[in-house]
PDB file of all heavy atoms in Angstrom:
ATOM      1  N   MET A 372     -16.691 -50.155  81.894  1.00 81.00           N
ATOM      2  CA  MET A 372     -15.774 -51.277  81.901  1.00 81.00           C
ATOM      3  C   MET A 372     -15.412 -51.666  83.365  1.00 81.00           C
ATOM      4  O   MET A 372     -15.233 -52.866  83.674  1.00 81.00           O
ATOM      5  CB  MET A 372     -14.504 -50.912  81.141  1.00 81.00           C
ATOM      6  CG  MET A 372     -14.673 -50.766  79.638  1.00 81.00           C
ATOM      7  SD  MET A 372     -15.362 -52.287  78.890  1.00 81.00           S
ATOM      8  CE  MET A 372     -14.109 -53.465  79.305  1.00 81.00           C
ATOM      9  N   LEU A 376     -15.843 -55.400  84.746  1.00 72.00           N
ATOM     10  CA  LEU A 376     -14.671 -56.163  85.186  1.00 72.00           C
ATOM     11  C   LEU A 376     -14.574 -56.374  86.694  1.00 72.00           C
ATOM     12  O   LEU A 376     -13.633 -56.978  87.216  1.00 72.00           O
ATOM     13  CB  LEU A 376     -13.413 -55.461  84.680  1.00 72.00           C
ATOM     14  CG  LEU A 376     -13.238 -55.428  83.182  1.00 72.00           C
ATOM     15  CD1 LEU A 376     -11.995 -54.617  82.840  1.00 72.00           C
ATOM     16  CD2 LEU A 376     -13.149 -56.834  82.612  1.00 72.00           C
ATOM     17  N   LEU A 382     -11.761 -56.998  91.286  1.00 58.00           N
ATOM     18  CA  LEU A 382     -11.548 -57.149  89.798  1.00 58.00           C
ATOM     19  C   LEU A 382     -11.419 -58.677  89.493  1.00 58.00           C
ATOM     20  O   LEU A 382     -10.345 -59.135  89.115  1.00 58.00           O
ATOM     21  CB  LEU A 382     -10.357 -56.381  89.306  1.00 58.00           C
ATOM     22  CG  LEU A 382     -10.418 -54.849  89.518  1.00 58.00           C
ATOM     23  CD1 LEU A 382      -9.119 -54.185  89.095  1.00 58.00           C
ATOM     24  CD2 LEU A 382     -11.592 -54.270  88.718  1.00 58.00           C
ATOM     25  N   PHE A 383     -12.564 -59.390  89.668  1.00 57.00           N
ATOM     26  CA  PHE A 383     -12.471 -60.849  89.525  1.00 57.00           C
ATOM     27  C   PHE A 383     -12.105 -61.329  88.150  1.00 57.00           C
ATOM     28  O   PHE A 383     -11.583 -62.421  87.971  1.00 57.00           O
ATOM     29  CB  PHE A 383     -13.803 -61.495  90.044  1.00 57.00           C
ATOM     30  CG  PHE A 383     -14.926 -61.375  89.030  1.00 57.00           C
ATOM     31  CD1 PHE A 383     -15.194 -62.369  88.121  1.00 57.00           C
ATOM     32  CD2 PHE A 383     -15.708 -60.204  88.970  1.00 57.00           C
ATOM     33  CE1 PHE A 383     -16.221 -62.238  87.221  1.00 57.00           C
ATOM     34  CE2 PHE A 383     -16.699 -60.093  88.061  1.00 57.00           C
ATOM     35  CZ  PHE A 383     -16.966 -61.100  87.190  1.00 57.00           C
ATOM     36  N   PHE A 384     -12.323 -60.501  87.115  1.00 59.00           N
ATOM     37  CA  PHE A 384     -12.040 -60.909  85.773  1.00 59.00           C
ATOM     38  C   PHE A 384     -10.533 -60.928  85.483  1.00 59.00           C
ATOM     39  O   PHE A 384     -10.076 -61.601  84.572  1.00 59.00           O
ATOM     40  CB  PHE A 384     -12.699 -59.968  84.753  1.00 59.00           C
ATOM     41  CG  PHE A 384     -14.054 -60.426  84.322  1.00 59.00           C
ATOM     42  CD1 PHE A 384     -15.202 -59.694  84.641  1.00 59.00           C
ATOM     43  CD2 PHE A 384     -14.182 -61.560  83.571  1.00 59.00           C
ATOM     44  CE1 PHE A 384     -16.429 -60.095  84.220  1.00 59.00           C
ATOM     45  CE2 PHE A 384     -15.437 -61.983  83.178  1.00 59.00           C
ATOM     46  CZ  PHE A 384     -16.588 -61.238  83.489  1.00 59.00           C
ATOM     47  N   ILE A 385      -9.760 -60.217  86.339  1.00 62.00           N
ATOM     48  CA  ILE A 385      -8.313 -60.187  86.092  1.00 62.00           C
ATOM     49  C   ILE A 385      -7.515 -60.856  87.174  1.00 62.00           C
ATOM     50  O   ILE A 385      -6.315 -60.801  87.197  1.00 62.00           O
ATOM     51  CB  ILE A 385      -7.805 -58.742  85.874  1.00 62.00           C
ATOM     52  CG1 ILE A 385      -8.085 -57.891  87.118  1.00 62.00           C
ATOM     53  CG2 ILE A 385      -8.455 -58.093  84.672  1.00 62.00           C
ATOM     54  CD1 ILE A 385      -7.494 -56.527  86.994  1.00 62.00           C
ATOM     55  N   GLU A 386      -8.241 -61.442  88.169  1.00 64.00           N
ATOM     56  CA  GLU A 386      -7.539 -62.158  89.216  1.00 64.00           C
ATOM     57  C   GLU A 386      -7.010 -63.467  88.671  1.00 64.00           C
ATOM     58  O   GLU A 386      -7.686 -64.195  87.908  1.00 64.00           O
ATOM     59  CB  GLU A 386      -8.502 -62.404  90.402  1.00 64.00           C
ATOM     60  CG  GLU A 386      -8.833 -61.162  91.187  1.00 64.00           C
ATOM     61  CD  GLU A 386      -9.772 -61.479  92.358  1.00 64.00           C
ATOM     62  OE1 GLU A 386     -10.268 -62.628  92.423  1.00 64.00           O
ATOM     63  OE2 GLU A 386      -9.973 -60.560  93.171  1.00 64.00           O
ATOM     64  N   ASN A 387      -5.788 -63.830  89.122  1.00 68.00           N
ATOM     65  CA  ASN A 387      -5.161 -65.080  88.733  1.00 68.00           C
ATOM     66  C   ASN A 387      -5.041 -65.216  87.231  1.00 68.00           C
ATOM     67  O   ASN A 387      -5.152 -66.293  86.651  1.00 68.00           O
ATOM     68  CB  ASN A 387      -5.967 -66.276  89.274  1.00 68.00           C
ATOM     69  CG  ASN A 387      -6.044 -66.235  90.797  1.00 68.00           C
ATOM     70  OD1 ASN A 387      -5.109 -65.909  91.481  1.00 68.00           O
ATOM     71  ND2 ASN A 387      -7.247 -66.580  91.323  1.00 68.00           N
ATOM     72  N   ARG A 388      -4.815 -64.114  86.548  1.00 70.00           N
ATOM     73  CA  ARG A 388      -4.621 -64.129  85.114  1.00 70.00           C
ATOM     74  C   ARG A 388      -3.137 -64.040  84.784  1.00 70.00           C
ATOM     75  O   ARG A 388      -2.355 -63.426  85.486  1.00 70.00           O
ATOM     76  CB  ARG A 388      -5.335 -62.934  84.464  1.00 70.00           C
ATOM     77  CG  ARG A 388      -6.827 -62.948  84.638  1.00 70.00           C
ATOM     78  CD  ARG A 388      -7.511 -63.824  83.599  1.00 70.00           C
ATOM     79  NE  ARG A 388      -8.994 -63.748  83.708  1.00 70.00           N
ATOM     80  CZ  ARG A 388      -9.799 -64.266  82.813  1.00 70.00           C
ATOM     81  NH1 ARG A 388      -9.279 -64.901  81.752  1.00 70.00           N
ATOM     82  NH2 ARG A 388     -11.089 -64.161  82.984  1.00 70.00           N
ATOM     83  N   SER A 389      -2.811 -64.631  83.639  1.00 76.00           N
ATOM     84  CA  SER A 389      -1.381 -64.557  83.210  1.00 76.00           C
ATOM     85  C   SER A 389      -1.104 -63.180  82.666  1.00 76.00           C
ATOM     86  O   SER A 389      -1.991 -62.401  82.393  1.00 76.00           O
ATOM     87  CB  SER A 389      -1.146 -65.615  82.098  1.00 76.00           C
ATOM     88  OG  SER A 389      -1.895 -65.295  80.931  1.00 76.00           O
ATOM     89  N   THR A 390       0.173 -62.904  82.499  1.00 79.00           N
ATOM     90  CA  THR A 390       0.554 -61.613  81.938  1.00 79.00           C
ATOM     91  C   THR A 390      -0.003 -61.376  80.532  1.00 79.00           C
ATOM     92  O   THR A 390      -0.405 -60.275  80.180  1.00 79.00           O
ATOM     93  CB  THR A 390       2.108 -61.467  81.906  1.00 79.00           C
ATOM     94  OG1 THR A 390       2.631 -61.700  83.215  1.00 79.00           O
ATOM     95  CG2 THR A 390       2.550 -60.099  81.389  1.00 79.00           C
ATOM     96  N   GLU A 391       0.001 -62.496  79.758  1.00 82.00           N
ATOM     97  CA  GLU A 391      -0.539 -62.357  78.411  1.00 82.00           C
ATOM     98  C   GLU A 391      -2.003 -61.991  78.419  1.00 82.00           C
ATOM     99  O   GLU A 391      -2.472 -61.219  77.629  1.00 82.00           O
ATOM    100  CB  GLU A 391      -0.322 -63.673  77.628  1.00 82.00           C
ATOM    101  CG  GLU A 391       1.142 -64.000  77.296  1.00 82.00           C
ATOM    102  CD  GLU A 391       1.955 -64.515  78.494  1.00 82.00           C
ATOM    103  OE1 GLU A 391       1.294 -64.795  79.553  1.00 82.00           O
ATOM    104  OE2 GLU A 391       3.182 -64.611  78.383  1.00 82.00           O
ATOM    105  N   ASP A 392      -2.767 -62.661  79.332  1.00 76.00           N
ATOM    106  CA  ASP A 392      -4.184 -62.389  79.422  1.00 76.00           C
ATOM    107  C   ASP A 392      -4.449 -60.936  79.843  1.00 76.00           C
ATOM    108  O   ASP A 392      -5.314 -60.235  79.349  1.00 76.00           O
ATOM    109  CB  ASP A 392      -4.863 -63.309  80.413  1.00 76.00           C
ATOM    110  CG  ASP A 392      -4.966 -64.759  79.882  1.00 76.00           C
ATOM    111  OD1 ASP A 392      -4.879 -64.907  78.666  1.00 76.00           O
ATOM    112  OD2 ASP A 392      -5.177 -65.644  80.696  1.00 76.00           O
ATOM    113  N   LEU A 393      -3.638 -60.424  80.818  1.00 78.00           N
ATOM    114  CA  LEU A 393      -3.784 -59.058  81.281  1.00 78.00           C
ATOM    115  C   LEU A 393      -3.476 -58.066  80.185  1.00 78.00           C
ATOM    116  O   LEU A 393      -4.190 -57.065  80.034  1.00 78.00           O
ATOM    117  CB  LEU A 393      -2.874 -58.818  82.498  1.00 78.00           C
ATOM    118  CG  LEU A 393      -3.250 -59.576  83.788  1.00 78.00           C
ATOM    119  CD1 LEU A 393      -2.188 -59.287  84.905  1.00 78.00           C
ATOM    120  CD2 LEU A 393      -4.621 -59.189  84.255  1.00 78.00           C
ATOM    121  N   LEU A 394      -2.421 -58.398  79.400  1.00 86.00           N
ATOM    122  CA  LEU A 394      -2.091 -57.512  78.244  1.00 86.00           C
ATOM    123  C   LEU A 394      -3.253 -57.495  77.245  1.00 86.00           C
ATOM    124  O   LEU A 394      -3.600 -56.453  76.654  1.00 86.00           O
ATOM    125  CB  LEU A 394      -0.775 -57.964  77.613  1.00 86.00           C
ATOM    126  CG  LEU A 394       0.466 -57.647  78.412  1.00 86.00           C
ATOM    127  CD1 LEU A 394       1.687 -58.288  77.691  1.00 86.00           C
ATOM    128  CD2 LEU A 394       0.668 -56.162  78.506  1.00 86.00           C
ATOM    129  N   TYR A 395      -3.824 -58.682  77.031  1.00 83.00           N
ATOM    130  CA  TYR A 395      -4.949 -58.783  76.067  1.00 83.00           C
ATOM    131  C   TYR A 395      -6.126 -57.987  76.516  1.00 83.00           C
ATOM    132  O   TYR A 395      -6.711 -57.212  75.768  1.00 83.00           O
ATOM    133  CB  TYR A 395      -5.353 -60.232  75.901  1.00 83.00           C
ATOM    134  CG  TYR A 395      -6.508 -60.476  74.984  1.00 83.00           C
ATOM    135  CD1 TYR A 395      -6.401 -60.354  73.632  1.00 83.00           C
ATOM    136  CD2 TYR A 395      -7.772 -60.752  75.529  1.00 83.00           C
ATOM    137  CE1 TYR A 395      -7.523 -60.535  72.800  1.00 83.00           C
ATOM    138  CE2 TYR A 395      -8.869 -60.931  74.748  1.00 83.00           C
ATOM    139  CZ  TYR A 395      -8.740 -60.857  73.374  1.00 83.00           C
ATOM    140  OH  TYR A 395      -9.835 -60.993  72.545  1.00 83.00           O
ATOM    141  N   ILE A 396      -6.482 -58.150  77.802  1.00 79.00           N
ATOM    142  CA  ILE A 396      -7.604 -57.370  78.360  1.00 79.00           C
ATOM    143  C   ILE A 396      -7.305 -55.890  78.316  1.00 79.00           C
ATOM    144  O   ILE A 396      -8.177 -55.079  77.918  1.00 79.00           O
ATOM    145  CB  ILE A 396      -7.905 -57.822  79.791  1.00 79.00           C
ATOM    146  CG1 ILE A 396      -8.422 -59.248  79.837  1.00 79.00           C
ATOM    147  CG2 ILE A 396      -8.941 -56.864  80.470  1.00 79.00           C
ATOM    148  CD1 ILE A 396      -8.568 -59.822  81.270  1.00 79.00           C
ATOM    149  N   GLY A 397      -6.122 -55.491  78.690  1.00 84.00           N
ATOM    150  CA  GLY A 397      -5.735 -54.096  78.642  1.00 84.00           C
ATOM    151  C   GLY A 397      -5.770 -53.503  77.251  1.00 84.00           C
ATOM    152  O   GLY A 397      -6.259 -52.335  77.033  1.00 84.00           O
ATOM    153  N   THR A 398      -5.333 -54.304  76.255  1.00 89.00           N
ATOM    154  CA  THR A 398      -5.348 -53.865  74.880  1.00 89.00           C
ATOM    155  C   THR A 398      -6.792 -53.657  74.379  1.00 89.00           C
ATOM    156  O   THR A 398      -7.113 -52.622  73.733  1.00 89.00           O
ATOM    157  CB  THR A 398      -4.625 -54.861  73.957  1.00 89.00           C
ATOM    158  OG1 THR A 398      -3.278 -55.041  74.417  1.00 89.00           O
ATOM    159  CG2 THR A 398      -4.642 -54.378  72.516  1.00 89.00           C
ATOM    160  N   ILE A 399      -7.651 -54.614  74.710  1.00 87.00           N
ATOM    161  CA  ILE A 399      -9.066 -54.497  74.272  1.00 87.00           C
ATOM    162  C   ILE A 399      -9.720 -53.239  74.901  1.00 87.00           C
ATOM    163  O   ILE A 399     -10.419 -52.497  74.195  1.00 87.00           O
ATOM    164  CB  ILE A 399      -9.860 -55.753  74.715  1.00 87.00           C
ATOM    165  CG1 ILE A 399      -9.306 -56.977  73.910  1.00 87.00           C
ATOM    166  CG2 ILE A 399     -11.305 -55.542  74.435  1.00 87.00           C
ATOM    167  CD1 ILE A 399      -9.482 -56.881  72.412  1.00 87.00           C
ATOM    168  N   VAL A 400      -9.441 -53.019  76.189  1.00 86.00           N
ATOM    169  CA  VAL A 400     -10.002 -51.853  76.847  1.00 86.00           C
ATOM    170  C   VAL A 400      -9.458 -50.580  76.235  1.00 86.00           C
ATOM    171  O   VAL A 400     -10.200 -49.613  75.993  1.00 86.00           O
ATOM    172  CB  VAL A 400      -9.741 -51.891  78.342  1.00 86.00           C
ATOM    173  CG1 VAL A 400     -10.136 -50.569  79.025  1.00 86.00           C
ATOM    174  CG2 VAL A 400     -10.446 -53.055  79.051  1.00 86.00           C
ATOM    175  N   ALA A 401      -8.182 -50.561  75.985  1.00 91.00           N
ATOM    176  CA  ALA A 401      -7.546 -49.330  75.407  1.00 91.00           C
ATOM    177  C   ALA A 401      -8.083 -49.030  74.013  1.00 91.00           C
ATOM    178  O   ALA A 401      -8.370 -47.904  73.663  1.00 91.00           O
ATOM    179  CB  ALA A 401      -6.020 -49.517  75.328  1.00 91.00           C
TER     180      ALA A 401
END
Side-chain angles (χ1 to χ4, degrees):
M372 290 304 300
L376 295 176
L382 298 176
F383 74 96
F384 268 114
I385 61 176
E386 288 181 352
N387 301 319
R388 298 277 184 171
S389 65
T390 302
E391 290 77 9
D392 288 341
L393 292 177
L394 286 174
Y395 176 77
I396 294 173
T398 302
I399 295 299
V400 171

